[in-house]
Every structure is written in structure tokens, then in C-alpha cells.
Amino acid sequence: QSALTQPPSASGSPGQSVTISCTGTSNDVGRYNYVSWYQQHPGKAPKLMIYEVTKRPSGVPDRFSGSKSGNTASLTVSDLQAEDEADYYCSSYAGTIQVVFGGGTKLTVL
Amino acid sequence: QLQLQESGPGLVKPSETLSLTCTASGGSFSSGTYYWGWIRQPPGKGLEWIGSMYYSGDTYYNPSLKSRVTISVDTSKNQFSLKLSSVTAADTAVYYCARHSMVGANFDHWGQGTLVTVSS
């Protein structure tokens, strides 16, 4: 069970869009439509932003969207705002109640 | 509204056992609709799933930690617990308890986290 691969950093200017990738294998991301994305501000607990690849929990702005192609999932943040600056983590179900997280991406709003 | 709170010693000596408890308010571990898990985050690093359990007692662990981890539940106290044995400095981390869905294992409620330092 290896960690999912995310770029360490991403950035964009206010109003722009940015996409963060999350690459796994055919045993996790590629096999199940159970990819989640979490936002974590410094010193805070992670917050669920996307689940089951594309679904948003109540209260999450529709500026956040998810997608998947093969073994790679993506999180897109549109119309970037200052408060979007945070660390983002993906996770995937990996079978029989096994979960694997990505290494995290630091999103900077320029 | 469900709230989760971790508690336990903030300092553990090398080779000893780390023990943490997660207490739920505004919800019940016995509801049968969710799993309950532990996740940790070493300082400045990413998240690592430790393991999860169902209220019935069924447990599931990260293979890399399985030999050292025990997760248990006390439904009468609405608490579930983590024990990690033979700790080393590499186990220093913020430990979170969280609830996740039965399908897809997305963690929708998290505790605030508690820092555990392994040091003599």
C-alpha cells in the first residue's frame, strides 16, 4: 500500500483556476470511484471537500470540482480566492476497508 | 452535530505504548452507519491512515502498522481507542480520530487532533 502521488506545490492568482493531480494504481484510484479530497489549513484538522470523485458535501463551494481518468484523479479549484490557500490531500479506497492518502499539495494563491 | 475529541498523553517514551481515546458527542458509535478511524500526521508531513473499526468490533489496519496497532471501542462510554506499541521517534505525530462512510471511506468528521511526541 503505497502513498498516492501528488505534486508538492501548486499556485494561481485570484480568479484563476488550478488543478491538482493525484496518481495511484490500478489497485486503488484506478479500481474504485472512491477518491476523496481534503483541505487543511495550518494547525487545523482536514476538511472533506470532494468524495466519490466528483461529489461535494453540503457547504463546499461549487468552485471545487473533482474528476478521474484511469489511475489519476484531479481536483480543480476555480475562481481562486485567498482563503483557498491551504494544503490539499487526496485519498482513495483501496479495498476491504483500506485507505491510502496522497502526500499532499500546498496551494498558494499569489 | 457530531463532535470528536482525542485525549491522551502528549509525551510517550521510546519502546512504550501510545494510548489515545476518542470521545464522541452528538452522535453514537453504535449507529451502525459509519466506521471510525485513526489518522496521523507527522510534523510537516502528510496524512497516514492507521486503521478503522466498526461498532461491532471488526477492525481494519494499515498493513505497515498492523503488527503494532490495536483499535477498540467502548460503546457504553461512546469512546474508541488507539494503542500503538513499541513506539519510536518516527511515531511522533498529530493523531486524529475521524468518522468515515461505509462506502468509499471518506472521512467527513474529524477531531481537532492531538500531538504525541515520542521522546525519553
Side-chain angles (χ1 to χ4, degrees):
Chain A
Q1 193 184 68
S2 299
L4 306 177
T5 300
Q6 297 182 234
S9 63
S11 63
S13 299
Q16 289 186 333
S17 294
V18 64
T19 297
I20 299 169
S21 63
C22 169
T23 301
T25 70
S26 57
N27 292 321
D28 38 61
V29 175
R31 177 170 293 185
Y32 304 102
N33 287 324
Y34 295 136
V35 175
S36 301
W37 289 91
Y38 301 88
Q39 176 191 66
Q40 186 181 35
H41 287 109
K44 300 295 186 182
K47 174 186 176 183
L48 180 66
M49 304 299 283
I50 296 287
Y51 67 101
E52 293 178 16
V53 180
T54 62
K55 298 178 181 179
R56 279 179 289 106
S58 175
V60 172
D62 60 6
R63 302 184 295 102
F64 292 84
S65 62
S67 62
K68 190 187 88 167
S69 178
N71 296 339
T72 298
S74 298
L75 171 72
T76 298
V77 185
S78 305
D79 187 24
L80 268 176
Q81 300 184 8
E83 60 263 34
D84 299 333
E85 185 162 295
D87 293 327
Y88 290 84
Y89 294 91
C90 62
S91 75
S92 176
Y93 185 74
T96 319
I97 313 300
Q98 294 289 312
V99 181
V100 60
F101 282 96
T105 298
K106 182 177 180 60
L107 174 61
T108 301
V109 180
L110 301 171
Chain B
Q1 176 74 353
L2 176 68
Q3 291 191 326
L4 301 173
Q5 178 69 58
E6 305 88 351
S7 59
L11 180 64
V12 181
K13 289 182 168 56
S15 80
E16 295 189 344
T17 296
L18 177 159
S19 296
L20 295 174
T21 297
C22 180
T23 301
S25 58
S28 170
F29 290 127
S30 318
S31 68
T33 312
Y34 297 96
Y35 284 82
W36 307 88
W38 289 94
I39 303 100
R40 69 179 184 179
Q41 184 172 34
K45 296 188 178 181
L47 301 170
E48 180 180 32
W49 174 70
I50 299 170
S52 297
M53 75 172 300
Y54 194 54
Y55 81 100
S56 63
D58 292 343
T59 52
Y60 307 86
Y61 300 131
N62 186 323
S64 68
L65 298 170
K66 185 175 183 178
S67 63
R68 299 194 291 131
V69 174
T70 302
I71 296 176
S72 59
V73 65
D74 186 337
T75 54
S76 66
K77 295 182 179 180
N78 225 25
Q79 294 178 335
F80 72 110
S81 300
L82 168 70
K83 292 188 185 299
L84 180 65
S85 64
S86 305
V87 297
T88 69
D91 295 310
T92 294
V94 174
Y95 285 77
Y96 295 98
C97 61
R99 182 184 85 172
H100 71 79
S101 58
M102 294 186 70
V103 176
N106 56 82
F107 293 87
D108 64 351
H109 278 82
W110 296 66
Q112 65 184 28
T114 187
L115 174 63
V116 179
T117 301
V118 179
S119 175
S120 55

